[in-house]
Amino acid sequence: MNIEKLTENAISLLKNLIETQSFSTEEDKTALLIEAWFKENNIPFKRTKNNIWATNKHFDESKPTMLLNSHHDTVHPNTAYTRNPFKADVEDGKLYGLGSNDAGGCLVSLIATFTNFYAQENLKYNLVIVASAEEENSGPDGLNSMLSIIPHIDVAIVGEPTLMNLAVAEKGLVVFDADVEGTPSHAAHPNDNNSIYNTIEVLQWFKDFHFEKKTEALGEVKMTVTQINAGKQHNVVPAHTNLVIDVRVNDAYSNQEIADILQEKSPCTTITPRSLRLNSSSISTDHALVKAGIEMGRETYGSPTLSDQSVLSCQSLKLGPGDSTRSHSADEFIYLAEIEEGIKIYIELLNRVII
């Protein structure tokens, strides 16, 4: 199948995916659409829950293996939508619809790329593709659950919208629940230890605190208080005020190190990480995959957003059509030309690289 036909079919698949609800944990119907693609192209595949995966026809265990991965789940539509989020409309070269940009365009481009290489003999490396579930909610049954099932992976391309530039590093994420204590009392009585007032200095500490280590690719660790909750009725001073802190971790720290620092230094009564598993990730700029992309004129950068790279232990590159700033926005869209370009660049990159 030539690239033009592959692109046409990939866009048709994306339209069907957009018009099929696939919120995280509810991807069973889009999984069927992806199964149908592999059946129509005579590619054997396997399904584990809502994850669809396949290997190239001439898989050779003596060769290194590259993972191609993107996800087919979506977030719920933004409340500011003015269009039907489940209607795949094309206007002025833009394909509108929920999941078009994040990450449907990437997914169908990678599926088309895998299809292009599937039956080729004498590939320099093996290919494994995983169309994964539960990326948007970092759920237990997504790509992380597949790593013990699929063959060992040496390097990965994770499809997320990067304008087909090379995201050579990605920030990790740790969400903390913190508590600021005070003395509970009736609101009519004096109280110099109001937990809500005590958060004023605590919030200022979080605003002013900076982690020392910066990196070239990802810059500083970014820490943001995103939620505050206290009190149940107007005439009671609460004993506790609860905070939620979102920390985006650069590649100079492990998530455990961030937790240790905050537990030692923060002025909160308690501060506890919800999970330490969503680590930062990176790939050496000397890696053959990155070098090949640079030779093609693609730029490198560090990504502030989280993806399934966080669950991989191998080096991985985030690369895909679309623009990250459109993700989770109202009236989400991707340019059809971006999908066409994405497939061409993916194919050229894989033809160039030797791992």
Side-chain angles (χ1 to χ4, degrees), residues 28-42:
D28 51 306
K29 291 183 177 62
T30 47
L32 291 174
L33 294 174
I34 296 164
E35 285 185 13
W37 171 287
F38 287 120
K39 289 175 182 176
E40 290 165 7
N41 288 279
N42 299 310

Side-chain angles (χ1 to χ4, degrees), residues 226-255:
T226 55
Q227 292 176 262
I228 302 175
N229 185 54
K232 293 184 177 179
Q233 58 192 71
H234 76 89
N235 58 352
V236 177
V237 175
H240 302 273
T241 297
N242 305 118
L243 309 178
V244 176
I245 302 102
D246 178 297
V247 184
R248 304 289 167 151
V249 184
N250 66 19
D251 48 341
Y253 294 93
S254 69
N255 287 355

Side-chain angles (χ1 to χ4, degrees), residues 326-338:
R326 300 181 208 136
S327 299
H328 304 183
S329 64
D331 298 337
E332 181 183 349
F333 70 89
I334 189 168
Y335 287 98
L336 296 178
E338 290 176 325

Side-chain angles (χ1 to χ4, degrees), residues 62-333:
S62 69
K63 295 179 180 179
T65 299
M66 181 188 299
L67 170 67
L68 306 179
N69 164 251
S70 192
H71 62 95
H72 58 106
D73 63 316
T74 72
V75 296
H76 287 256
N78 188 304
T79 57
Y81 261 85
T82 65
R83 316 173 70 98
N84 182 349
F86 301 107
K87 185 73 169 65
D89 288 325
V90 177
E91 289 183 16
D92 300 323
K94 300 175 182 178
L95 173 57
Y96 287 91
L98 181 66
S100 56
N101 182 78
D102 182 16
C106 302
L107 176 65
V108 300
S109 297
L110 284 172
I111 289 174
T113 299
F114 176 84
T115 302
N116 177 76
F117 287 102
Y118 166 71
Q120 288 190 25
E121 298 183 31
N122 302 314
L123 288 176
K124 294 164 285 189
Y125 46 84
N126 301 307
L127 288 173
V128 177
I129 188 163
V130 178
S132 55
E134 297 192 14
E135 188 273 345
E136 294 291 3
N137 69 341
S138 301
D141 294 324
L143 179 63
N144 53 312
S145 70
M146 299 300 299
L147 300 179
S148 61
I149 296 172
I150 62 176
H152 171 78
I153 301 301
D154 296 286
V155 67
I157 295 176
V158 175
E160 291 284 344
T162 69
L163 294 171
M164 291 310 292
N165 287 314
L166 312 171
V168 296
E170 172 187 275
K171 284 187 174 179
L173 169 65
V174 188
V175 178
F176 290 88
D177 292 296
D179 179 68
V180 179
E181 281 190 349
T183 301
S185 69
H186 193 293
H189 301 309
N191 186 341
D192 294 329
N193 191 31
N194 184 321
S195 69
I196 296 176
Y197 293 162
N198 291 346
T199 63
I200 295 172
E201 291 184 2
V202 172
L203 293 173
Q204 190 65 48
W205 184 90
F206 280 110
K207 183 179 179 182
D208 294 342
F209 184 82
H210 291 278
F211 293 89
E212 293 180 1
K213 300 177 187 177
K214 303 178 185 178
T215 67
E216 182 177 352
L218 293 176
E220 294 186 355
V221 173
K222 186 175 188 302
M223 181 164 61
T224 309
V225 177
T226 55
Q227 292 176 262
I228 302 175
N229 185 54
K232 293 184 177 179
Q233 58 192 71
H234 76 89
N235 58 352
V236 177
V237 175
H240 302 273
T241 297
N242 305 118
L243 309 178
V244 176
I245 302 102
D246 178 297
V247 184
R248 304 289 167 151
V249 184
N250 66 19
D251 48 341
Y253 294 93
S254 69
N255 287 355
Q256 183 63 61
E257 287 175 318
I258 294 294
D260 291 344
I261 290 168
L262 290 182
Q263 287 173 339
E264 176 188 353
K265 296 187 175 183
S266 83
C268 299
T269 308
T270 62
I271 183 165
T272 306
R274 293 181 181 178
S275 170
L276 297 174
R277 68 184 179 87
L278 301 176
N279 289 287
S280 62
S281 56
S282 64
I283 186 170
S284 169
T285 53
D286 291 327
H287 193 283
L289 195 58
V290 178
K291 284 185 173 180
I294 292 172
E295 288 171 2
M296 292 167 59
R298 314 316 299 177
E299 297 179 358
T300 62
Y301 74 103
S303 172
T305 58
L306 193 72
S307 75
D308 269 336
Q309 278 187 289
S310 64
V311 305
L312 296 172
S313 57
C314 64
Q315 293 195 86
S316 58
L317 175 68
K318 183 156 65 175
L319 173 68
D323 187 337
S324 180
T325 61
R326 300 181 208 136
S327 299
H328 304 183
S329 64
D331 298 337
E332 181 183 349
F333 70 89

